C-alpha cells in the first residue's frame, strides 16, 4: 500500500519536478553565460588599459577607444542574444510541459466522469 501511495505521489509530482529541472538547467546555463561575459569584460578591459597606456597621440588613443567600445558592444550583444535564446527555449519547453499536463488532466477527468 505504501509503495502504491509513493508511486502515485511520484506520478503526481512529475510535472513539478520536470519544471524544476528545466528551471535549474536554464539558470545554470544563464549563470555560465554571465560568468563568461564577466571574464571577457575583465580581460578586454585590462587589454584596453594596456593598449591605451602605450598610445603616444590623441588620434591613436581615440582609435583604441573606438575599437574597445565596438568590441564591448559586440560582446554584450552576443551574450544578450544567446541569453534570449536560452530563455525562449525554456519558455517553449515549459509551455509544452503545461500543455501535456493539461491534456493528461483533461483525459483523466473525462475518464473519471464516464465511470
Amino acid at each position: 500500500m505504501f509503495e502504491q501511495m509513493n508511486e502515485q505521489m511520484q506520478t503526481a509530482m512529475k510535472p513539478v519536478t520536470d519544471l524544476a529541472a528545466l528551471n535549474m538547467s536554464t539558470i545554470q546555463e544563464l549563470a555560465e553565460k554571465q560568468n563568461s561575459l564577466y571574464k571577457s569584460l575583465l580581460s578586454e578591459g585590462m587589454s584596453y588599459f594596456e593598449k591605451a597606456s602605450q598610445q603616444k597621440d590623441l588620434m591613436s588613443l581615440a582609435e583604441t577607444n573606438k575599437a574597445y567600445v565596438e568590441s564591448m558592444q559586440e560582446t554584450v550583444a552576443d551574450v544578450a542574444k544567446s541569453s534570449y535564446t536560452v530563455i525562449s527555449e525554456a519558455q517553449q519547453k515549459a509551455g509544452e510541459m503545461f500543455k501535456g499536463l493539461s491534456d493528461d488532466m483533461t483525459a483523466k477527468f473525462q475518464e473519471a466522469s464516464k465511470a
Side-chain angles (χ1 to χ4, degrees):
M1 172 132 175
F2 179 73
E3 290 177 14
Q4 186 181 10
M5 285 177 46
N6 186 27
E7 190 175 306
Q8 287 177 345
M9 180 66 95
Q10 286 178 347
T11 301
M13 294 300 292
K14 185 170 179 1
V16 174
T17 57
D18 289 347
L19 187 59
L22 175 64
N23 284 340
M24 287 300 295
S25 67
T26 301
I27 290 170
Q28 183 178 2
E29 194 170 346
L30 290 172
E32 289 171 2
K33 290 186 180 304
Q34 291 299 312
N35 187 31
S36 175
L37 173 64
Y38 183 70
K39 286 179 182 178
S40 177
L41 292 175
L42 282 176
S43 174
E44 289 183 32
M46 294 304 292
S47 176
Y48 163 74
F49 285 119
E50 183 179 330
K51 289 177 184 175
S53 68
Q54 296 171 354
Q55 302 308 314
K56 304 289 185 213
D57 60 9
L58 194 56
M59 288 305 290
S60 298
L61 182 59
E63 286 297 318
T64 302
N65 285 343
K66 180 182 175 193
Y68 173 70
V69 169
E70 288 173 351
S71 174
M72 288 291 95
Q73 286 176 329
E74 184 177 329
T75 301
V76 171
D78 289 345
V79 171
K81 287 176 187 175
S82 64
S83 295
Y84 178 77
T85 300
V86 168
I87 291 170
S88 294
E89 288 173 358
Q91 183 180 16
Q92 182 178 4
K93 288 177 186 175
E96 291 169 3
M97 286 179 186
F98 281 114
K99 183 173 181 345
L101 176 62
S102 175
D103 292 346
D104 288 346
M105 295 295 276
T106 302
K108 286 180 183 179
F109 284 135
Q110 287 176 349
E111 185 179 300
S113 66
K114 289 179 184 178

